Amino acid sequence: MMRTVLRAAHDALKTIQDRITRSRRDHPGVQLALLLERARQLGVPTGLRLDLGGGDGCYRELLSSGGARVLTLDRFGGPQVDLIADAHALPVRGRVAGLIVLAEVLEHLAEPAVAVGECYRALQPGGMLAITTPQYWHVHGHPSDYYRYTDAGLRYLCERAGFTVVDCWSRGGPALIGFHLIRVNLSERWRPLFAIPFYAMAEWIDRVTYECRPSAMPYDALGWSVLARKP
């Protein structure tokens, strides 16, 4: 009986933790929404919106705002996957997409320069590439984990492919890095007890003390959000 009660209490706390996590500014979904708003301000061409590596379909509703047609591509099949595909060789004709998203995907690609080049090929002139990717994070699979990125590295990848980087910002600094360093290394049992009371505090400290577009070195970054345009 006690075990059942404790399990129910843990599940309730995990639900609260997940809801809190998805609402924080450093979450990839929140960052993607900010990138899409910036893209709308600059003007996104009509055309397909491709979510590369978005197998769970969690961003489909966000990407389809305004009636755009969204295709989710992933290496693995699933109910939310429209095309099984490799980002290194997209199975689409050139110049069909108005927007392509790589949300927490670039670090999992063995040849990121090839994938960014494929995005360039698939975009219409004026099309946008939206990227979120970590600089600090624990090693994780999906199915492999190869790289971490600085803003300079991301700019280089995009510009080498022919893109113009129109915006780039960090999604968190030392306060959030410290918070996540502890959080991700706790067991699932204890993680909600740490995240629920301390996540908001870490985010507040980060907002007060950290410049998300650093102008002087040295600087730290939890991860980066990049918006690039095909000329």
Side-chain angles (χ1 to χ4, degrees):
M1 179 66 175
M2 181 59 69
R3 181 174 296 180
T4 301
V5 171
L6 290 174
R7 168 58 61 184
H10 178 267
D11 290 346
L13 288 173
K14 188 176 185 305
T15 298
I16 295 170
Q17 173 197 239
D18 292 345
R19 186 168 64 246
I20 289 172
T21 298
R22 288 192 297 270
S23 69
R24 295 302 173 200
R25 183 179 171 86
D26 64 296
H27 188 271
V30 175
Q31 288 294 304
L32 181 56
L34 293 171
L35 285 168
L36 293 180
E37 178 58 31
R38 184 76 176 105
R40 279 191 289 268
Q41 292 170 0
L42 296 169
V44 182
T46 58
L48 292 174
R49 295 188 175 186
L50 306 182
D51 185 5
L52 306 189
D56 58 3
C58 62
Y59 302 131
R60 183 182 291 272
E61 183 177 352
L62 176 63
L63 291 172
S64 64
S65 61
R69 184 185 176 197
V70 178
L71 288 182
T72 299
L73 289 75
D74 202 284
R75 286 181 60 187
F76 306 99
Q80 297 294 328
V81 176
D82 299 303
L83 284 174
I84 297 176
D86 189 331
H88 301 95
L90 296 177
V92 296
R93 298 190 308 272
R95 300 186 175 191
V96 297
L99 175 74
I100 297 179
V101 169
L102 289 167
E104 305 303 287
V105 169
L106 204 59
E107 66 272 21
H108 299 293
L109 300 179
E111 300 291 342
V114 173
V116 173
E118 278 290 275
C119 292
Y120 186 90
R121 180 185 66 81
L123 281 166
Q124 301 173 21
M128 298 284 195
L129 173 64
I131 298 171
T132 73
T133 192
Q135 180 169 318
Y136 282 96
W137 204 247
H138 61 150
V139 177
H140 54 298
H142 307 301
S144 299
D145 190 6
Y146 295 104
Y147 302 107
R148 296 296 179 268
Y149 292 94
T150 64
D151 54 332
L154 290 165
R155 288 178 182 276
Y156 174 77
L157 280 175
C158 291
E159 291 169 357
R160 177 183 174 185
F163 286 102
T164 298
V165 175
V166 295
D167 213 339
C168 176
W169 63 79
S170 165
R171 67 172 185 245
L176 282 168
I177 291 170
F179 168 79
H180 286 295
L181 179 64
I182 297 172
R183 184 185 70 85
V184 299
N185 285 287
L186 292 173
S187 70
E188 286 289 341
R189 175 183 298 179
W190 299 109
R191 198 173 292 171
L193 296 176
F194 176 75
I196 291 171
F198 293 116
Y199 206 154
M201 181 186 300
E203 185 184 50
W204 179 81
I205 293 171
D206 193 76
R207 285 179 179 272
V208 171
T209 63
Y210 183 71
E211 172 54 55
C212 68
R213 291 179 175 84
S215 57
M217 291 190 181
Y219 54 86
D220 277 318
L222 178 65
W224 295 95
S225 296
V226 176
L227 189 64
R229 170 182 272 163
K230 179 176 179 176

